[in-house]
Amino acid sequence: MSFLPDLGFFTMGMWSVGLGAIGAAVTGIVLANTDLFLSKPEKATLEFLEEIELKALGSNQRTFKAGELWEKNGAVIMAVRRPG
């Protein structure tokens, strides 16, 4: 007569929880380090970039369209979208 309960059910549960944790960790690593499920960004057109309003920094607080920059002196603009 053994006073210890059968550990087969407990062992099966531990394997199930362990495999679930490993699967969740692998899924998290894949989703955090790849862009598999993200939508692809659209490329900005020249017409869209021309219409962007820019503000001058410093004491001269003037607002102008981005197209004015390359009309006068051929400047190149890099557009960066901030999060939020």
Side-chain angles (χ1 to χ4, degrees):
M1 291 218 169
S2 174
F3 294 105
L4 295 174
D6 183 24
L7 297 178
F9 185 71
F10 178 74
T11 304
M12 183 178 68
M14 290 306 292
W15 272 103
S16 176
V17 169
L19 288 176
I22 291 172
V26 169
T27 302
I29 290 170
V30 167
L31 291 177
N33 294 306
T34 64
D35 60 352
L36 291 175
F37 301 106
L38 297 177
S39 60
K40 302 299 179 205
E42 289 186 40
K43 300 216 183 263
T45 62
L46 185 60
E47 292 79 22
F48 177 77
L49 293 176
E50 285 177 343
E51 295 301 316
I52 294 174
E53 289 199 5
L54 301 175
K55 295 179 184 177
L57 298 176
S59 61
N60 185 10
Q61 296 290 327
R62 138 177 131 90
T63 303
F64 54 94
K65 298 281 185 183
E68 292 179 33
L69 288 177
W70 62 77
E71 284 176 0
K72 296 177 184 174
N73 58 9
V76 176
I77 300 174
M78 181 178 80
V80 178
R81 182 182 180 275
R82 293 185 336 187

